[in-house]
Amino acid sequence: MASEPLLAMLLLRDLGFSPLQYGLVFAAPCVGGLVGSRLAPRLVARFGDGRVLRTAGVLRSCWSPGLAVVPSGAAGMAVVRGVQLGLVACCGVFDPVLATHRLRHTDPARLSRTLAAWSVSAGLSVAALTALWGLLAAVTGPRTALAAAGALLLATPLLLRRAGTQAGPEHVRSGRG
């Protein structure tokens, strides 16, 4: 999310997309999120949540570097639409599976606090990273900042634990959850 304002600046200001083109570039890929979220339960049933988390987690990190090399015109619209479609579809699979996996391994007495902490930390992270990437773009330009965001995202699969290898809370291990 931190790179979205940079992408808007690149597409609208630098590449001359019209607001209608910008809207179409981002509206169409949203279908990928719907498809991904509908596929997630079937994928988990077939492959297990650990395998789906690892695969979708790796795949969702591979798309963003493409945003740094967006050409102008119709080719640029196609590149952004394709990158966003792949990214949003992978997130549509990953996000609900991760949330389900984490909540399944959370003590029921702590669910509301856990959900509140996720919400607050996600909001603060997006705000802080958006400001940081805006500063980076002011110093280096939007393409360089988008490339840096893409490069860092390529490293995020290294942060994924092997889902299912860690023991959950006592109520999950004992079968009471």
Side-chain angles (χ1 to χ4, degrees):
M1 292 300 300
S3 63
E4 291 303 316
L6 306 177
L7 188 58
M9 192 171 83
L10 176 69
L11 297 178
L12 294 168
R13 185 190 73 184
D14 297 351
L15 297 179
F17 281 38
S18 73
L20 175 62
Q21 290 172 316
Y22 179 79
L24 291 174
V25 159
F26 287 101
C30 290
V31 173
L34 295 172
V35 170
S37 65
R38 298 289 295 169
L39 286 175
R42 293 181 200 141
L43 292 171
V44 169
R46 183 169 182 172
F47 300 109
D49 61 347
R51 192 167 175 192
V52 171
L53 282 171
R54 285 188 302 278
T55 303
V58 168
L59 289 175
R60 73 185 177 133
S61 70
C62 296
W63 297 96
S64 291
L67 295 174
V69 294
V70 174
S72 60
M77 286 183 67
V79 168
V80 174
R81 193 175 300 139
V83 166
Q84 289 297 114
L85 176 65
L87 176 64
V88 173
C90 291
C91 288
V93 171
F94 182 85
D95 291 349
V97 177
L98 177 65
T100 301
H101 179 80
R102 290 174 75 185
L103 288 173
R104 190 179 315 128
H105 291 87
T106 300
D107 181 2
R110 297 179 184 199
L111 282 178
S112 62
R113 286 187 286 179
T114 300
L115 291 171
W118 287 350
S119 178
V120 169
S121 62
L124 290 174
S125 297
V126 168
L129 289 173
T130 300
L132 182 62
W133 250 254
L135 179 63
L136 180 62
V139 173
T140 65
R143 285 192 188 270
T144 303
L146 285 167
L152 286 174
L153 285 172
L154 287 174
T156 61
L158 300 173
L159 302 174
L160 295 172
R161 290 188 321 186
R162 290 191 50 93
T165 60
Q166 298 287 327
E170 183 59 37
H171 73 280
V172 173
R173 287 192 304 263
S174 67
R176 291 180 288 169

